[in-house]
Amino acid sequence: MFKARLLLLLTVSASILLFNPLAVAINLGDSLPQMKLKNADGEEISFSSLLGKVVYIDIWATWCPSCVQSIPWMSSLKSKFAGREFEVLAINVDDHTQTAKEFLNTKKTSLNVVYDPTGSFPDSIEIKVMPTSLLINKLGKVILIHEGFSLRDTPKLEAEIEKALLE
Amino acid sequence: MKHIPILIILIFGMLLSGCTNVKPWQKGNFAKRQMSLDLDPLKSRFMRHTYESKEAASGGYGFSVVGCGCK
C-alpha cells in the first residue's frame, strides 16, 4: 500500500515537473544553445554557422512596440558594419509567422529574420522581458545581454559591437 | 475513505501543474486592444478631469495591469 502511494506521489511530482520544466537563464560568457531556426525562405539557420562573426541577436514580436521601434536601427546596423564580420539575426516569436512576414513586407527591411513561433529559443535562455537582445562574440560566447529597447541605448550598443569586432 | 489523501494529492497536483507564468514572449494577446480594461483612454481621462474639477479630489482610480509588459 505504501509503495503504491509512493509511486502515485512520484507520478504526480513528475507530471508537475513535466508541465513546468526547469529552464536556465543565459549569462554572460555562456554559449548559445544549439538550435536551428527557419527564415522566410524555409532555410534553416543554425547558431553554429554564425561562429567567427560578431552577432547581434534580437528577440522580437510585432505586438511589442519597443521591438518594432528597434527594427529600423537594426537594419541600419547592417549597413553601418557592412564588410565586417558582423551579422544581425532577428528572431521573431509571433504565434503566427504570417503576421510577422506581412509586417516586414510593409517595412521593406533587409533584416535577417528567423521565425520561432513556439518560442523555443527564448524559452531555452529564459528571457525576462521583450525585447531582449544578445551580443555574441566571434567565439560564440554571450558578451552582452540587453533588455528592452530605447533609441538612447543605441550609441552604447554600437560601441559594444565595435569593441567586439576589434577583439 | 482510504483513498481520500491520494485523491487530494492528485487534485492538488493537477491544479499546481496548471500554475504557470505567462512567459514574456507569450504576452501577445495581452497587447491586444480588446484586452485593455479601458477601451477609451481619452474619454476616461476627460471624465477624470471633470470629476477632479467637480469634487476637488483626485486619485483612487484603481490600477491597470494589461499590456504586453514590453520594456
Side-chain angles (χ1 to χ4, degrees), chain A:
Chain A
M1 191 63 193
F2 176 73
K3 274 184 183 174
R5 280 188 187 181
L6 190 69
L7 192 69
L8 188 69
L9 195 66
L10 284 172
T11 314
V12 171
S13 310
S15 70
I16 293 169
L17 276 175
L18 275 174
F19 283 104
N20 301 288
L22 301 168
V24 182
I26 201 158
N27 289 308
L28 295 179
D30 288 352
S31 298
L32 288 179
Q34 286 308 310
M35 209 169 268
K36 285 177 183 172
L37 295 170
K38 284 183 181 172
N39 65 12
D41 301 324
E43 290 166 18
E44 280 190 335
I45 294 179
S46 70
F47 294 140
S48 55
S49 70
L50 299 167
L51 271 174
K53 285 180 179 176
V54 172
V55 190
Y56 183 81
I57 295 179
D58 185 68
I59 300 163
W60 71 284
T62 54
W63 45 260
C64 158
S66 333
C67 308
V68 170
Q69 196 192 12
S70 73
I71 287 182
W73 174 72
M74 286 197 290
S75 303
S76 75
L77 279 182
K78 236 183 142 181
S79 50
K80 188 163 189 171
F81 296 101
R84 301 175 76 179
E85 290 157 324
F86 177 70
E87 192 75 60
V88 179
L89 188 67
I91 301 177
N92 177 267
V93 292
D94 272 277
D95 289 344
H96 305 288
T97 304
Q98 196 55 35
T99 313
K101 285 178 183 168
E102 282 165 14
F103 170 82
L104 288 167
N105 282 340
T106 63
K107 293 279 169 190
K108 293 185 174 62
T109 175
S110 58
L111 209 57
N112 198 7
V113 181
V114 286
Y115 299 91
D116 185 12
T118 58
S120 55
F121 178 65
D123 199 19
S124 67
I125 61 167
E126 270 293 288
I127 65 161
K128 307 277 186 303
V129 293
M130 284 287 289
T132 292
S133 44
L134 309 168
L135 188 63
I136 313 296
N137 69 9
K138 292 174 187 171
L139 302 169
K141 305 278 182 199
V142 178
I143 53 169
L144 180 86
I145 301 169
H146 187 256
E147 292 180 338
F149 180 80
S150 161
L151 285 171
R152 281 174 302 186
D153 305 336
T154 57
K156 191 189 158 205
L157 290 169
E158 286 174 20
E160 289 290 339
I161 294 167
E162 187 63 55
K163 201 172 121 190
L165 281 165
L166 294 173
E167 274 175 4

